[in-house]
Amino acid sequence: MKTLKSIIAVVVVAVAALAAQPAHAQFRFGPKVGLNVNRLHLSDASANLDGNNRAGFNAGAMVEFTAPIIGVGVDVSAMYVRRTAKFMRQNNLQFDRRDYFEIPVNLKWKMNIPVVNNIIRPYLATGPSFAVLTSRKAISDFRNKKCDVAWNFGFGVELLKHVQVGASYGLGLTKAFETVGTGVQAAGIEGKNRYWTITAAYLF
């Protein structure tokens, strides 16, 4: 809980600082879609479980606020995200599908490169992501957690001032699931999300 409060405080301070910039700073919005590859990081690597990589998708919208000249800003997205994991339990293959409503908040720095800025502009981004579970189904002996908090590290390029293509790595800070009951040899094992995401957004 202390970690979550610290993350929220950092986000609030960053947004407030950027909001104090001149009124002619850029504010844009648009649709955003992408793919993700998720892996569950288990609390006990020796357990009879293996949360292998599995592809999913995300779709939603993004808003971006960028301060002039310095190229520093914030983007906030509202996304529907599907993450899946492939489990091997006692040589039995099982799949776990989790759907989330996710709000990633990123501090973003767009690099100024003379001459080519209007064509291509690289950027770096990092920040927290807050996800709420919308699906309730889980495989037997597993319980999916209702909330998931992660920290993202990303990079990408802005093309022709409108299209942003980026990749990010999400490091789960809270547990995404836990084993329950007596039917699992690895009872008491927890898992955190680790995922790569590739997205494309068009900003007006």
Side-chain angles (χ1 to χ4, degrees):
M1 182 61 70
K2 184 177 180 181
T3 301
L4 180 57
K5 289 181 179 179
S6 299
I7 290 173
I8 294 174
V10 170
V11 172
V12 170
V13 170
V15 172
L18 287 167
Q21 296 295 320
H24 57 276
Q26 283 190 330
F27 176 81
R28 304 189 299 166
F29 66 94
K32 181 179 179 180
V33 296
L35 299 173
N36 63 72
V37 177
N38 185 72
R39 180 180 177 84
L40 284 169
H41 178 73
L42 303 176
S43 59
D44 185 353
S46 64
N48 190 29
L49 293 171
D50 183 16
N52 291 319
N53 293 335
R54 191 74 179 169
F57 66 89
N58 50 78
M62 182 178 85
V63 296
E64 179 188 81
F65 181 93
T66 306
I69 304 176
I70 60 175
V72 175
V74 169
D75 72 52
V76 181
S77 302
M79 308 292 292
Y80 172 81
V81 178
R82 172 166 294 176
R83 295 194 181 107
T84 57
K86 181 172 63 177
F87 285 96
M88 185 64 71
R89 301 169 58 195
Q90 299 177 321
N91 297 320
N92 293 321
L93 186 63
Q94 292 182 294
F95 297 93
D96 176 41
R97 190 190 83 188
R98 282 160 290 124
D99 297 337
Y100 294 92
F101 174 71
E102 184 176 45
I103 300 178
V105 181
N106 289 309
L107 181 66
K108 181 183 287 182
W109 174 48
K110 295 182 182 179
M111 304 175 196
N112 284 312
I113 303 177
V115 182
V116 300
N117 261 356
N118 291 338
I119 301 173
I120 183 170
R121 193 174 184 184
Y123 66 82
L124 299 175
T126 186
S129 177
F130 308 95
V132 178
L133 186 72
T134 59
S135 61
R136 291 290 178 263
K137 185 177 181 181
I139 60 179
S140 59
D141 302 317
F142 286 74
R143 178 190 296 144
N144 291 325
K145 307 302 287 186
K146 294 181 179 180
C147 297
D148 185 46
V149 180
W151 194 276
N152 297 320
F153 303 88
F155 62 92
V157 294
E158 182 176 271
L159 305 172
L160 302 175
K161 290 189 173 182
H162 290 285
V163 178
Q164 289 188 9
V165 179
S168 64
Y169 181 73
L171 185 66
L173 302 178
T174 59
K175 58 186 179 182
F177 89 98
E178 60 186 357
T179 54
V180 295
T182 59
V184 183
Q185 288 187 353
I189 300 304
E190 302 169 352
K192 295 181 179 179
N193 284 317
R194 299 285 192 272
Y195 52 87
W196 282 98
T197 303
I198 299 175
T199 58
Y202 186 91
L203 301 181
F204 299 93

